[in-house]
Amino acid sequence: MNIYINEQKLDTKLDGETNLGQVLDEIQKWIESNGKYLRHFTVNGLEFNRSDLTQVSIEKTERLDLFVGEELDVIEDSLIEVDNYVDKVGSTLVGRDSLTEKETTDLKEGIPWIVSMIESTKKILNLNLSLIHPMGKGKNVEEIISSLLSGMETLDGTTSIENFLEDLRDIKLFLMDLSARLAVMRMDEADLVQIIQNFVNEKDKVIKDFMLVNENFQSGKDHLATEILADAVGRLNGLISALVSIQTRHPEILWNEIELSDKKLIDEVNVLNATLTNIAVAMEKNDIVYAGDILEYELPELLEALVPFLDQVLVKVKN
């Protein structure tokens, strides 16, 4: 039997293993000991369930292919799987007023899997789920997860199923947001550094854009204000994702100790996230006055305070 990892033949000998399940277990231990992760595998070019491998003998296997990646690769694979699963569940439940026993059982396995994936991604991306509102309003991600977990227990009528579908749609939007954040984190380090540098260079423009949002709302140009706001918030989320990715790639730097005038970088980023959430909540309530005050007075001050920290990040990474 020939074993390949990412199309490269592995020079190894078997040590008493009799089935592919045992072989895969041993190779996976070695892969993970080297800081990598198994993404998927094929046997003689065919996909197999992991649980079936104990029934596959080594003698009948000509080639075992393993595809290995980094932690972000595995998260990205999981996001795709979860996204497909959410679509499948959604299309199954639309227009229904009850579920079969098997569908209920499957959901009770599937929803915790979604939650597990989100929790893993949260740790990697350093996210505070209580501050993220997928719709820009309504429930945050923590509340949506709680609602999904409780809702799957009582899908016994049209109303409960429709509420469950609403939560699924919000999760779908959140998955799209995670994919966008991961795309930033997959960039080359030079591109990540450039995102941070561009923000430092264009800080005044970003602040001006947020103030233009307030001006356009006050002038009754809500559509234009919303477009400017979405673009500016997207730029800030890109910046935050770039910072998280840089920190992940440089564990040797003591990020928690970056401090200026008794303030820490991590605290400034958390305050920025919370402020963006407050803007979203104010917009949801159509409280233009409160949103305007944040955009014109609070946010510019926060962005001004953040720039010296970003300068420190750039210096440490370039050194």
Side-chain angles (χ1 to χ4, degrees), residues 92-318:
T92 299
L93 295 183
V94 169
R96 299 278 295 277
D97 59 7
S98 63
L99 277 69
T100 65
E101 184 176 343
K102 183 180 185 307
E103 288 171 337
T104 300
T105 300
D106 289 344
L107 268 185
K108 289 182 178 180
E109 294 177 356
I111 298 304
W113 170 57
I114 292 176
V115 174
S116 175
M117 188 285 299
I118 290 176
E119 288 294 329
S120 297
T121 308
K122 176 189 75 172
K123 294 176 183 176
I124 293 173
L125 299 183
N126 192 29
L127 302 177
N128 186 336
L129 300 183
S130 68
L131 298 179
I132 300 176
H133 298 250
M135 289 291 293
K137 58 184 180 180
K139 292 182 284 192
N140 62 48
V141 177
E142 283 188 352
E143 292 168 335
I144 295 166
I145 289 173
S146 177
S147 182
L148 277 174
L149 290 171
S150 61
M152 71 182 184
E153 301 288 344
T154 56
L155 295 176
D156 53 5
T158 302
T159 300
S160 60
I161 289 178
E162 287 179 350
N163 291 337
F164 187 80
L165 284 172
E166 285 294 329
D167 288 330
L168 274 184
R169 293 186 188 105
D170 285 354
I171 285 294
K172 173 83 174 179
L173 289 174
F174 177 57
L175 293 174
M176 293 169 62
D177 177 60
L178 287 182
S179 295
R181 292 174 189 256
L182 280 174
V184 173
M185 297 187 72
R186 300 298 296 272
M187 291 179 176
D188 293 336
E189 184 166 312
D191 293 329
L192 295 171
V193 169
Q194 194 61 52
I195 288 175
I196 299 173
Q197 186 66 65
N198 287 344
F199 186 87
V200 171
N201 296 341
E202 300 172 5
K203 175 258 303 176
D204 291 338
K205 182 182 183 306
V206 176
I207 291 175
K208 183 179 178 181
D209 282 347
F210 277 112
M211 297 182 74
L212 280 175
V213 172
N214 192 26
E215 291 177 16
N216 281 285
F217 272 127
Q218 291 178 347
S219 302
K221 301 175 182 177
D222 290 10
H223 182 70
L224 178 58
T226 301
E227 285 187 358
I228 298 173
L229 179 61
D231 181 68
V233 169
R235 197 179 310 174
L236 288 181
N237 285 332
L239 170 68
I240 293 169
S241 295
L243 281 172
V244 171
S245 184
I246 286 290
Q247 292 175 20
T248 301
R249 298 182 194 200
H250 290 278
E252 77 281 1
I253 298 176
L254 302 177
W255 298 105
N256 288 337
E257 295 184 8
I258 295 182
E259 185 174 329
L260 295 170
S261 302
D262 295 327
K263 295 182 179 179
K264 292 187 176 182
L265 170 62
I266 187 172
D267 294 331
E268 292 298 298
V269 172
N270 287 339
V271 171
L272 178 58
N273 272 324
T275 301
L276 292 176
T277 298
N278 288 338
I279 293 171
V281 171
M283 297 302 298
E284 176 198 355
K285 296 179 179 178
N286 201 30
D287 190 345
I288 304 300
V289 174
Y290 179 44
D293 286 344
I294 297 175
L295 292 168
E296 192 161 352
Y297 302 110
E298 292 184 30
L299 199 55
E301 184 177 337
L302 285 173
L303 297 181
E304 290 280 5
L306 184 62
V307 168
F309 285 99
L310 299 182
D311 286 330
Q312 287 289 316
V313 169
L314 292 171
V315 168
K316 289 182 179 296
V317 171
K318 291 176 181 179

